[in-house]
Amino acid sequence: MRKPFIVLILCVLMMFRLTSCAPKVKNGYTKGHGYEGNISLSGAFALYPLVVVWSEDFKKIHPNVRFNISAGGAGKGIADVLTGMVDIGMVSRDLHEQEIKKGAVPIIVAKDAVICTINPANPNYPAILKRGLSREELLNIFVNRKFKTWKEIDPQFTADPINVYVRSDAAGAAETWAKFFDHKQEDLQGIGIFGDPGIAQAIKDDIHGIGFNNLNYVYNLKTNKVFDRIAVVPLDLNKNGHVEDDEQFYGTLPQLTEAVATGKYPAPPSRELTFVTRNKTESLLLKEFISFVLQKNAQSQLLENGYVPLNETLIKEELNKL
């Protein structure tokens, strides 16, 4: 009766000895295997699709590296990285002063934009497409709630209600959209929906709805056109009640990303997307991955995936942070 127990003890001791004698990976790199280990990221829905692409490409070069990537909003990304839950927080808004004091270090990896969305079946959509909505009108929809019906915006619109959708989670898109009006996310008024996919679906299901989304949840990357049952509200930037030719850049994704790159589409709601680490990282593996996403090959994939690449000057500045 005692023999199996003794054998079990010996096996455990052997396993412990083998484990304790195994070579340890220092900062994610060994001479024998190169870069290896785990990289965990969480945060912004805006960055999630891009990071998935980058991780797959990185693993082709470094097959001993594994990734754990989750989307839950920029607020979750910041919280997770500052508490040590993940290695990198994916963040799609400016950092707050208290976050920087806690050790948050941002590295810009791409640019994109938040856009106002509407259901194309809205009876007012043809008119909105021609006149656009100004910053002040959107302010009175999303923050002040001055406009409760479409007709209150413009007499030519119908008297149907305006159903406003905002983010329920701490989100970079919401923070950036609010910043467009010189406000904070908490000031946005409407029906709270979790996540970018959630707001996109709410707009698709409600012909009277209006919201805001990241580019990747509005435009189909295969066709470069908007998805069915969702459309972009053009901004009337010069407030003349008409969308001029130089304000018409929403037809295709390349048109809009070019407008973001050249500044025709304002910032905010265009923005910088960042990787955030807790303090300056000493991990060779993390440094290698972050350097990888800032290199020419990785940056060249941005436009085809609905993002705007960084210029060479900004890339050098971000690499110097490592």
Side-chain angles (χ1 to χ4, degrees), residues 28-64:
Y29 181 83
T30 61
K31 290 184 179 180
H33 296 90
Y35 291 100
E36 59 181 327
N38 300 307
I39 299 177
S40 55
L41 307 95
S42 78
F45 284 91
L47 266 172
Y48 177 80
L50 181 58
V51 172
V52 170
V53 172
W54 280 339
S55 67
E56 292 299 324
D57 289 344
F58 191 77
K59 285 191 291 185
K60 292 176 184 177
I61 304 171
H62 307 292
N64 294 321

PDB file of all heavy atoms in Angstrom, residues 28-64:
ATOM      1  N   GLY A  28      12.520  37.910 -21.314  1.00  0.00           N
ATOM      2  CA  GLY A  28      11.944  37.438 -22.571  1.00  0.00           C
ATOM      3  C   GLY A  28      12.935  37.126 -23.662  1.00  0.00           C
ATOM      4  O   GLY A  28      12.572  37.083 -24.844  1.00  0.00           O
ATOM      5  N   TYR A  29      14.195  36.878 -23.318  1.00  0.00           N
ATOM      6  CA  TYR A  29      15.190  36.588 -24.359  1.00  0.00           C
ATOM      7  C   TYR A  29      16.251  35.633 -23.827  1.00  0.00           C
ATOM      8  O   TYR A  29      16.734  35.782 -22.697  1.00  0.00           O
ATOM      9  CB  TYR A  29      15.864  37.882 -24.825  1.00  0.00           C
ATOM     10  CG  TYR A  29      16.892  37.664 -25.907  1.00  0.00           C
ATOM     11  CD1 TYR A  29      16.503  37.559 -27.235  1.00  0.00           C
ATOM     12  CD2 TYR A  29      18.250  37.530 -25.596  1.00  0.00           C
ATOM     13  CE1 TYR A  29      17.441  37.335 -28.243  1.00  0.00           C
ATOM     14  CE2 TYR A  29      19.191  37.315 -26.592  1.00  0.00           C
ATOM     15  CZ  TYR A  29      18.771  37.214 -27.909  1.00  0.00           C
ATOM     16  OH  TYR A  29      19.700  36.983 -28.900  1.00  0.00           O
ATOM     17  N   THR A  30      16.592  34.635 -24.637  1.00  0.00           N
ATOM     18  CA  THR A  30      17.732  33.757 -24.353  1.00  0.00           C
ATOM     19  C   THR A  30      18.527  33.576 -25.640  1.00  0.00           C
ATOM     20  O   THR A  30      17.977  33.656 -26.743  1.00  0.00           O
ATOM     21  CB  THR A  30      17.279  32.373 -23.859  1.00  0.00           C
ATOM     22  OG1 THR A  30      16.486  31.737 -24.885  1.00  0.00           O
ATOM     23  CG2 THR A  30      16.476  32.466 -22.574  1.00  0.00           C
ATOM     24  N   LYS A  31      19.814  33.321 -25.492  1.00  0.00           N
ATOM     25  CA  LYS A  31      20.662  33.122 -26.674  1.00  0.00           C
ATOM     26  C   LYS A  31      20.241  31.891 -27.461  1.00  0.00           C
ATOM     27  O   LYS A  31      20.332  31.856 -28.680  1.00  0.00           O
ATOM     28  CB  LYS A  31      22.125  33.011 -26.251  1.00  0.00           C
ATOM     29  CG  LYS A  31      22.733  34.315 -25.755  1.00  0.00           C
ATOM     30  CD  LYS A  31      24.214  34.142 -25.439  1.00  0.00           C
ATOM     31  CE  LYS A  31      24.818  35.468 -24.975  1.00  0.00           C
ATOM     32  NZ  LYS A  31      26.268  35.327 -24.667  1.00  0.00           N
ATOM     33  N   GLY A  32      19.795  30.860 -26.724  1.00  0.00           N
ATOM     34  CA  GLY A  32      19.434  29.617 -27.388  1.00  0.00           C
ATOM     35  C   GLY A  32      18.137  29.689 -28.175  1.00  0.00           C
ATOM     36  O   GLY A  32      18.037  29.131 -29.272  1.00  0.00           O
ATOM     37  N   HIS A  33      17.136  30.375 -27.640  1.00  0.00           N
ATOM     38  CA  HIS A  33      15.816  30.397 -28.273  1.00  0.00           C
ATOM     39  C   HIS A  33      15.414  31.768 -28.808  1.00  0.00           C
ATOM     40  O   HIS A  33      14.381  31.898 -29.450  1.00  0.00           O
ATOM     41  CB  HIS A  33      14.761  29.929 -27.271  1.00  0.00           C
ATOM     42  CG  HIS A  33      14.922  28.510 -26.836  1.00  0.00           C
ATOM     43  ND1 HIS A  33      15.685  28.156 -25.743  1.00  0.00           N
ATOM     44  CD2 HIS A  33      14.432  27.352 -27.356  1.00  0.00           C
ATOM     45  CE1 HIS A  33      15.647  26.839 -25.591  1.00  0.00           C
ATOM     46  NE2 HIS A  33      14.912  26.324 -26.563  1.00  0.00           N
ATOM     47  N   GLY A  34      16.194  32.785 -28.547  1.00  0.00           N
ATOM     48  CA  GLY A  34      15.808  34.124 -28.979  1.00  0.00           C
ATOM     49  C   GLY A  34      14.710  34.669 -28.094  1.00  0.00           C
ATOM     50  O   GLY A  34      14.670  34.402 -26.893  1.00  0.00           O
ATOM     51  N   TYR A  35      13.779  35.392 -28.688  1.00  0.00           N
ATOM     52  CA  TYR A  35      12.685  35.978 -27.908  1.00  0.00           C
ATOM     53  C   TYR A  35      11.622  34.915 -27.631  1.00  0.00           C
ATOM     54  O   TYR A  35      11.196  34.186 -28.532  1.00  0.00           O
ATOM     55  CB  TYR A  35      12.070  37.159 -28.656  1.00  0.00           C
ATOM     56  CG  TYR A  35      13.004  38.344 -28.734  1.00  0.00           C
ATOM     57  CD1 TYR A  35      13.744  38.594 -29.888  1.00  0.00           C
ATOM     58  CD2 TYR A  35      13.166  39.193 -27.650  1.00  0.00           C
ATOM     59  CE1 TYR A  35      14.618  39.679 -29.949  1.00  0.00           C
ATOM     60  CE2 TYR A  35      14.035  40.272 -27.706  1.00  0.00           C
ATOM     61  CZ  TYR A  35      14.759  40.498 -28.848  1.00  0.00           C
ATOM     62  OH  TYR A  35      15.629  41.555 -28.902  1.00  0.00           O
ATOM     63  N   GLU A  36      11.228  34.825 -26.378  1.00  0.00           N
ATOM     64  CA  GLU A  36      10.204  33.865 -25.989  1.00  0.00           C
ATOM     65  C   GLU A  36       9.486  34.357 -24.739  1.00  0.00           C
ATOM     66  O   GLU A  36       9.979  35.215 -24.011  1.00  0.00           O
ATOM     67  CB  GLU A  36      10.812  32.488 -25.734  1.00  0.00           C
ATOM     68  CG  GLU A  36      11.879  32.464 -24.655  1.00  0.00           C
ATOM     69  CD  GLU A  36      12.457  31.068 -24.466  1.00  0.00           C
ATOM     70  OE1 GLU A  36      11.708  30.086 -24.637  1.00  0.00           O
ATOM     71  OE2 GLU A  36      13.644  30.961 -24.145  1.00  0.00           O
ATOM     72  N   GLY A  37       8.295  33.822 -24.539  1.00  0.00           N
ATOM     73  CA  GLY A  37       7.510  34.224 -23.376  1.00  0.00           C
ATOM     74  C   GLY A  37       6.120  34.682 -23.767  1.00  0.00           C
ATOM     75  O   GLY A  37       5.660  34.463 -24.891  1.00  0.00           O
ATOM     76  N   ASN A  38       5.442  35.322 -22.832  1.00  0.00           N
ATOM     77  CA  ASN A  38       4.061  35.775 -23.025  1.00  0.00           C
ATOM     78  C   ASN A  38       3.982  37.293 -23.024  1.00  0.00           C
ATOM     79  O   ASN A  38       4.680  37.948 -22.259  1.00  0.00           O
ATOM     80  CB  ASN A  38       3.170  35.232 -21.908  1.00  0.00           C
ATOM     81  CG  ASN A  38       3.150  33.720 -21.873  1.00  0.00           C
ATOM     82  OD1 ASN A  38       2.873  33.075 -22.878  1.00  0.00           O
ATOM     83  ND2 ASN A  38       3.451  33.156 -20.712  1.00  0.00           N
ATOM     84  N   ILE A  39       3.117  37.827 -23.882  1.00  0.00           N
ATOM     85  CA  ILE A  39       2.807  39.249 -23.888  1.00  0.00           C
ATOM     86  C   ILE A  39       1.297  39.387 -23.741  1.00  0.00           C
ATOM     87  O   ILE A  39       0.539  38.837 -24.550  1.00  0.00           O
ATOM     88  CB  ILE A  39       3.267  39.939 -25.184  1.00  0.00           C
ATOM     89  CG1 ILE A  39       4.782  39.819 -25.359  1.00  0.00           C
ATOM     90  CG2 ILE A  39       2.854  41.410 -25.188  1.00  0.00           C
ATOM     91  CD1 ILE A  39       5.295  40.415 -26.659  1.00  0.00           C
ATOM     92  N   SER A  40       0.859  40.099 -22.722  1.00  0.00           N
ATOM     93  CA  SER A  40      -0.572  40.291 -22.492  1.00  0.00           C
ATOM     94  C   SER A  40      -0.949  41.747 -22.726  1.00  0.00           C
ATOM     95  O   SER A  40      -0.235  42.660 -22.310  1.00  0.00           O
ATOM     96  CB  SER A  40      -0.944  39.872 -21.067  1.00  0.00           C
ATOM     97  OG  SER A  40      -0.155  40.565 -20.115  1.00  0.00           O
ATOM     98  N   LEU A  41      -2.053  41.956 -23.415  1.00  0.00           N
ATOM     99  CA  LEU A  41      -2.550  43.297 -23.712  1.00  0.00           C
ATOM    100  C   LEU A  41      -4.050  43.339 -23.482  1.00  0.00           C
ATOM    101  O   LEU A  41      -4.758  42.363 -23.771  1.00  0.00           O
ATOM    102  CB  LEU A  41      -2.266  43.706 -25.163  1.00  0.00           C
ATOM    103  CG  LEU A  41      -0.842  43.617 -25.688  1.00  0.00           C
ATOM    104  CD1 LEU A  41      -0.609  42.298 -26.399  1.00  0.00           C
ATOM    105  CD2 LEU A  41      -0.564  44.764 -26.684  1.00  0.00           C
ATOM    106  N   SER A  42      -4.551  44.472 -22.997  1.00  0.00           N
ATOM    107  CA  SER A  42      -5.996  44.666 -22.891  1.00  0.00           C
ATOM    108  C   SER A  42      -6.298  46.142 -23.100  1.00  0.00           C
ATOM    109  O   SER A  42      -5.427  46.991 -22.965  1.00  0.00           O
ATOM    110  CB  SER A  42      -6.523  44.194 -21.532  1.00  0.00           C
ATOM    111  OG  SER A  42      -6.248  45.148 -20.522  1.00  0.00           O
ATOM    112  N   GLY A  43      -7.564  46.421 -23.446  1.00  0.00           N
ATOM    113  CA  GLY A  43      -7.950  47.823 -23.561  1.00  0.00           C
ATOM    114  C   GLY A  43      -8.808  48.148 -24.762  1.00  0.00           C
ATOM    115  O   GLY A  43      -9.793  47.470 -25.051  1.00  0.00           O
ATOM    116  N   ALA A  44      -8.433  49.190 -25.472  1.00  0.00           N
ATOM    117  CA  ALA A  44      -9.276  49.853 -26.465  1.00  0.00           C
ATOM    118  C   ALA A  44      -9.752  48.930 -27.581  1.00  0.00           C
ATOM    119  O   ALA A  44      -8.966  48.201 -28.178  1.00  0.00           O
ATOM    120  CB  ALA A  44      -8.519  51.040 -27.063  1.00  0.00           C
ATOM    121  N   PHE A  45     -11.057  49.000 -27.852  1.00  0.00           N
ATOM    122  CA  PHE A  45     -11.612  48.287 -28.995  1.00  0.00           C
ATOM    123  C   PHE A  45     -10.985  48.791 -30.294  1.00  0.00           C
ATOM    124  O   PHE A  45     -10.854  48.041 -31.259  1.00  0.00           O
ATOM    125  CB  PHE A  45     -13.136  48.483 -29.052  1.00  0.00           C
ATOM    126  CG  PHE A  45     -13.895  47.666 -28.058  1.00  0.00           C
ATOM    127  CD1 PHE A  45     -14.181  48.170 -26.801  1.00  0.00           C
ATOM    128  CD2 PHE A  45     -14.324  46.394 -28.363  1.00  0.00           C
ATOM    129  CE1 PHE A  45     -14.893  47.424 -25.864  1.00  0.00           C
ATOM    130  CE2 PHE A  45     -15.033  45.628 -27.447  1.00  0.00           C
ATOM    131  CZ  PHE A  45     -15.311  46.149 -26.184  1.00  0.00           C
ATOM    132  N   ALA A  46     -10.602  50.071 -30.316  1.00  0.00           N
ATOM    133  CA  ALA A  46     -10.032  50.662 -31.530  1.00  0.00           C
ATOM    134  C   ALA A  46      -8.738  49.970 -31.936  1.00  0.00           C
ATOM    135  O   ALA A  46      -8.476  49.773 -33.123  1.00  0.00           O
ATOM    136  CB  ALA A  46      -9.777  52.155 -31.310  1.00  0.00           C
ATOM    137  N   LEU A  47      -7.918  49.598 -30.956  1.00  0.00           N
ATOM    138  CA  LEU A  47      -6.625  48.987 -31.253  1.00  0.00           C
ATOM    139  C   LEU A  47      -6.692  47.477 -31.392  1.00  0.00           C
ATOM    140  O   LEU A  47      -5.784  46.871 -31.983  1.00  0.00           O
ATOM    141  CB  LEU A  47      -5.615  49.351 -30.150  1.00  0.00           C
ATOM    142  CG  LEU A  47      -4.736  50.564 -30.408  1.00  0.00           C
ATOM    143  CD1 LEU A  47      -3.942  50.923 -29.151  1.00  0.00           C
ATOM    144  CD2 LEU A  47      -3.776  50.329 -31.566  1.00  0.00           C
ATOM    145  N   TYR A  48      -7.705  46.869 -30.858  1.00  0.00           N
ATOM    146  CA  TYR A  48      -7.772  45.400 -30.805  1.00  0.00           C
ATOM    147  C   TYR A  48      -7.551  44.725 -32.172  1.00  0.00           C
ATOM    148  O   TYR A  48      -6.690  43.832 -32.284  1.00  0.00           O
ATOM    149  CB  TYR A  48      -9.092  44.951 -30.191  1.00  0.00           C
ATOM    150  CG  TYR A  48      -9.271  43.460 -30.161  1.00  0.00           C
ATOM    151  CD1 TYR A  48      -8.664  42.689 -29.175  1.00  0.00           C
ATOM    152  CD2 TYR A  48     -10.027  42.811 -31.135  1.00  0.00           C
ATOM    153  CE1 TYR A  48      -8.815  41.308 -29.150  1.00  0.00           C
ATOM    154  CE2 TYR A  48     -10.183  41.432 -31.119  1.00  0.00           C
ATOM    155  CZ  TYR A  48      -9.576  40.692 -30.133  1.00  0.00           C
ATOM    156  OH  TYR A  48      -9.722  39.321 -30.123  1.00  0.00           O
ATOM    157  N   PRO A  49      -8.291  45.102 -33.242  1.00  0.00           N
ATOM    158  CA  PRO A  49      -8.086  44.401 -34.518  1.00  0.00           C
ATOM    159  C   PRO A  49      -6.659  44.545 -35.047  1.00  0.00           C
ATOM    160  O   PRO A  49      -6.110  43.603 -35.627  1.00  0.00           O
ATOM    161  CB  PRO A  49      -9.092  45.083 -35.462  1.00  0.00           C
ATOM    162  CG  PRO A  49     -10.066  45.762 -34.571  1.00  0.00           C
ATOM    163  CD  PRO A  49      -9.296  46.166 -33.352  1.00  0.00           C
ATOM    164  N   LEU A  50      -6.071  45.708 -34.853  1.00  0.00           N
ATOM    165  CA  LEU A  50      -4.724  45.962 -35.343  1.00  0.00           C
ATOM    166  C   LEU A  50      -3.694  45.144 -34.571  1.00  0.00           C
ATOM    167  O   LEU A  50      -2.771  44.564 -35.163  1.00  0.00           O
ATOM    168  CB  LEU A  50      -4.403  47.448 -35.236  1.00  0.00           C
ATOM    169  CG  LEU A  50      -3.038  47.911 -35.737  1.00  0.00           C
ATOM    170  CD1 LEU A  50      -2.844  47.552 -37.195  1.00  0.00           C
ATOM    171  CD2 LEU A  50      -2.894  49.409 -35.520  1.00  0.00           C
ATOM    172  N   VAL A  51      -3.847  45.073 -33.270  1.00  0.00           N
ATOM    173  CA  VAL A  51      -2.895  44.325 -32.435  1.00  0.00           C
ATOM    174  C   VAL A  51      -2.950  42.839 -32.764  1.00  0.00           C
ATOM    175  O   VAL A  51      -1.920  42.150 -32.737  1.00  0.00           O
ATOM    176  CB  VAL A  51      -3.174  44.586 -30.943  1.00  0.00           C
ATOM    177  CG1 VAL A  51      -2.324  43.665 -30.062  1.00  0.00           C
ATOM    178  CG2 VAL A  51      -2.872  46.039 -30.603  1.00  0.00           C
ATOM    179  N   VAL A  52      -4.128  42.330 -33.086  1.00  0.00           N
ATOM    180  CA  VAL A  52      -4.240  40.928 -33.499  1.00  0.00           C
ATOM    181  C   VAL A  52      -3.397  40.673 -34.747  1.00  0.00           C
ATOM    182  O   VAL A  52      -2.665  39.675 -34.833  1.00  0.00           O
ATOM    183  CB  VAL A  52      -5.714  40.543 -33.743  1.00  0.00           C
ATOM    184  CG1 VAL A  52      -5.809  39.170 -34.395  1.00  0.00           C
ATOM    185  CG2 VAL A  52      -6.496  40.556 -32.440  1.00  0.00           C
ATOM    186  N   VAL A  53      -3.471  41.580 -35.716  1.00  0.00           N
ATOM    187  CA  VAL A  53      -2.663  41.452 -36.942  1.00  0.00           C
ATOM    188  C   VAL A  53      -1.179  41.510 -36.614  1.00  0.00           C
ATOM    189  O   VAL A  53      -0.385  40.678 -37.076  1.00  0.00           O
ATOM    190  CB  VAL A  53      -3.036  42.567 -37.951  1.00  0.00           C
ATOM    191  CG1 VAL A  53      -2.077  42.561 -39.144  1.00  0.00           C
ATOM    192  CG2 VAL A  53      -4.474  42.410 -38.420  1.00  0.00           C
ATOM    193  N   TRP A  54      -0.780  42.498 -35.819  1.00  0.00           N
ATOM    194  CA  TRP A  54       0.632  42.643 -35.459  1.00  0.00           C
ATOM    195  C   TRP A  54       1.149  41.425 -34.703  1.00  0.00           C
ATOM    196  O   TRP A  54       2.274  40.983 -34.921  1.00  0.00           O
ATOM    197  CB  TRP A  54       0.819  43.892 -34.606  1.00  0.00           C
ATOM    198  CG  TRP A  54       0.876  45.162 -35.383  1.00  0.00           C
ATOM    199  CD1 TRP A  54       1.174  45.310 -36.716  1.00  0.00           C
ATOM    200  CD2 TRP A  54       0.648  46.486 -34.886  1.00  0.00           C
ATOM    201  NE1 TRP A  54       1.125  46.625 -37.074  1.00  0.00           N
ATOM    202  CE2 TRP A  54       0.814  47.379 -35.981  1.00  0.00           C
ATOM    203  CE3 TRP A  54       0.310  47.004 -33.644  1.00  0.00           C
ATOM    204  CZ2 TRP A  54       0.674  48.766 -35.838  1.00  0.00           C
ATOM    205  CZ3 TRP A  54       0.168  48.375 -33.506  1.00  0.00           C
ATOM    206  CH2 TRP A  54       0.342  49.238 -34.596  1.00  0.00           C
ATOM    207  N   SER A  55       0.340  40.885 -33.793  1.00  0.00           N
ATOM    208  CA  SER A  55       0.792  39.737 -33.003  1.00  0.00           C
ATOM    209  C   SER A  55       1.043  38.520 -33.880  1.00  0.00           C
ATOM    210  O   SER A  55       2.018  37.784 -33.675  1.00  0.00           O
ATOM    211  CB  SER A  55      -0.237  39.406 -31.917  1.00  0.00           C
ATOM    212  OG  SER A  55      -1.445  38.922 -32.469  1.00  0.00           O
ATOM    213  N   GLU A  56       0.170  38.301 -34.859  1.00  0.00           N
ATOM    214  CA  GLU A  56       0.350  37.165 -35.761  1.00  0.00           C
ATOM    215  C   GLU A  56       1.631  37.311 -36.576  1.00  0.00           C
ATOM    216  O   GLU A  56       2.370  36.347 -36.774  1.00  0.00           O
ATOM    217  CB  GLU A  56      -0.864  37.028 -36.692  1.00  0.00           C
ATOM    218  CG  GLU A  56      -2.145  36.623 -35.988  1.00  0.00           C
ATOM    219  CD  GLU A  56      -2.044  35.263 -35.308  1.00  0.00           C
ATOM    220  OE1 GLU A  56      -1.367  34.371 -35.879  1.00  0.00           O
ATOM    221  OE2 GLU A  56      -2.610  35.096 -34.224  1.00  0.00           O
ATOM    222  N   ASP A  57       1.906  38.514 -37.037  1.00  0.00           N
ATOM    223  CA  ASP A  57       3.133  38.751 -37.804  1.00  0.00           C
ATOM    224  C   ASP A  57       4.377  38.603 -36.934  1.00  0.00           C
ATOM    225  O   ASP A  57       5.411  38.094 -37.378  1.00  0.00           O
ATOM    226  CB  ASP A  57       3.098  40.147 -38.429  1.00  0.00           C
ATOM    227  CG  ASP A  57       2.094  40.258 -39.562  1.00  0.00           C
ATOM    228  OD1 ASP A  57       1.645  39.198 -40.054  1.00  0.00           O
ATOM    229  OD2 ASP A  57       1.734  41.390 -39.937  1.00  0.00           O
ATOM    230  N   PHE A  58       4.276  39.056 -35.692  1.00  0.00           N
ATOM    231  CA  PHE A  58       5.416  38.953 -34.770  1.00  0.00           C
ATOM    232  C   PHE A  58       5.722  37.493 -34.456  1.00  0.00           C
ATOM    233  O   PHE A  58       6.894  37.096 -34.365  1.00  0.00           O
ATOM    234  CB  PHE A  58       5.097  39.729 -33.490  1.00  0.00           C
ATOM    235  CG  PHE A  58       6.269  39.915 -32.571  1.00  0.00           C
ATOM    236  CD1 PHE A  58       7.253  40.862 -32.846  1.00  0.00           C
ATOM    237  CD2 PHE A  58       6.395  39.149 -31.415  1.00  0.00           C
ATOM    238  CE1 PHE A  58       8.336  41.043 -31.995  1.00  0.00           C
ATOM    239  CE2 PHE A  58       7.468  39.326 -30.552  1.00  0.00           C
ATOM    240  CZ  PHE A  58       8.435  40.264 -30.854  1.00  0.00           C
ATOM    241  N   LYS A  59       4.675  36.670 -34.312  1.00  0.00           N
ATOM    242  CA  LYS A  59       4.868  35.251 -34.001  1.00  0.00           C
ATOM    243  C   LYS A  59       5.502  34.488 -35.164  1.00  0.00           C
ATOM    244  O   LYS A  59       6.148  33.468 -34.954  1.00  0.00           O
ATOM    245  CB  LYS A  59       3.531  34.611 -33.619  1.00  0.00           C
ATOM    246  CG  LYS A  59       3.059  34.997 -32.222  1.00  0.00           C
ATOM    247  CD  LYS A  59       1.887  34.145 -31.768  1.00  0.00           C
ATOM    248  CE  LYS A  59       0.642  34.442 -32.550  1.00  0.00           C
ATOM    249  NZ  LYS A  59      -0.529  33.685 -32.014  1.00  0.00           N
ATOM    250  N   LYS A  60       5.314  34.975 -36.386  1.00  0.00           N
ATOM    251  CA  LYS A  60       5.969  34.333 -37.530  1.00  0.00           C
ATOM    252  C   LYS A  60       7.488  34.473 -37.436  1.00  0.00           C
ATOM    253  O   LYS A  60       8.227  33.593 -37.879  1.00  0.00           O
ATOM    254  CB  LYS A  60       5.466  34.961 -38.831  1.00  0.00           C
ATOM    255  CG  LYS A  60       4.010  34.659 -39.149  1.00  0.00           C
ATOM    256  CD  LYS A  60       3.552  35.398 -40.389  1.00  0.00           C
ATOM    257  CE  LYS A  60       2.072  35.176 -40.649  1.00  0.00           C
ATOM    258  NZ  LYS A  60       1.597  35.955 -41.838  1.00  0.00           N
ATOM    259  N   ILE A  61       7.943  35.582 -36.863  1.00  0.00           N
ATOM    260  CA  ILE A  61       9.374  35.827 -36.699  1.00  0.00           C
ATOM    261  C   ILE A  61       9.883  35.192 -35.406  1.00  0.00           C
ATOM    262  O   ILE A  61      10.994  34.647 -35.359  1.00  0.00           O
ATOM    263  CB  ILE A  61       9.668  37.341 -36.685  1.00  0.00           C
ATOM    264  CG1 ILE A  61       9.124  38.006 -37.946  1.00  0.00           C
ATOM    265  CG2 ILE A  61      11.169  37.602 -36.552  1.00  0.00           C
ATOM    266  CD1 ILE A  61       9.184  39.526 -37.913  1.00  0.00           C
ATOM    267  N   HIS A  62       9.048  35.243 -34.371  1.00  0.00           N
ATOM    268  CA  HIS A  62       9.435  34.740 -33.047  1.00  0.00           C
ATOM    269  C   HIS A  62       8.382  33.728 -32.583  1.00  0.00           C
ATOM    270  O   HIS A  62       7.478  34.061 -31.809  1.00  0.00           O
ATOM    271  CB  HIS A  62       9.546  35.891 -32.050  1.00  0.00           C
ATOM    272  CG  HIS A  62      10.445  37.005 -32.509  1.00  0.00           C
ATOM    273  ND1 HIS A  62      11.809  36.864 -32.632  1.00  0.00           N
ATOM    274  CD2 HIS A  62      10.153  38.275 -32.895  1.00  0.00           C
ATOM    275  CE1 HIS A  62      12.334  38.005 -33.053  1.00  0.00           C
ATOM    276  NE2 HIS A  62      11.345  38.870 -33.232  1.00  0.00           N
ATOM    277  N   PRO A  63       8.472  32.478 -33.056  1.00  0.00           N
ATOM    278  CA  PRO A  63       7.426  31.474 -32.791  1.00  0.00           C
ATOM    279  C   PRO A  63       7.294  31.060 -31.331  1.00  0.00           C
ATOM    280  O   PRO A  63       6.294  30.429 -30.962  1.00  0.00           O
ATOM    281  CB  PRO A  63       7.862  30.283 -33.655  1.00  0.00           C
ATOM    282  CG  PRO A  63       9.333  30.472 -33.870  1.00  0.00           C
ATOM    283  CD  PRO A  63       9.543  31.952 -33.921  1.00  0.00           C
ATOM    284  N   ASN A  64       8.252  31.410 -30.487  1.00  0.00           N
ATOM    285  CA  ASN A  64       8.175  31.037 -29.079  1.00  0.00           C
ATOM    286  C   ASN A  64       7.472  32.093 -28.222  1.00  0.00           C
ATOM    287  O   ASN A  64       7.489  32.000 -26.994  1.00  0.00           O
ATOM    288  CB  ASN A  64       9.579  30.793 -28.519  1.00  0.00           C
ATOM    289  CG  ASN A  64      10.246  29.585 -29.159  1.00  0.00           C
ATOM    290  OD1 ASN A  64       9.605  28.575 -29.408  1.00  0.00           O
ATOM    291  ND2 ASN A  64      11.533  29.694 -29.459  1.00  0.00           N
TER     292      ASN A  64
END
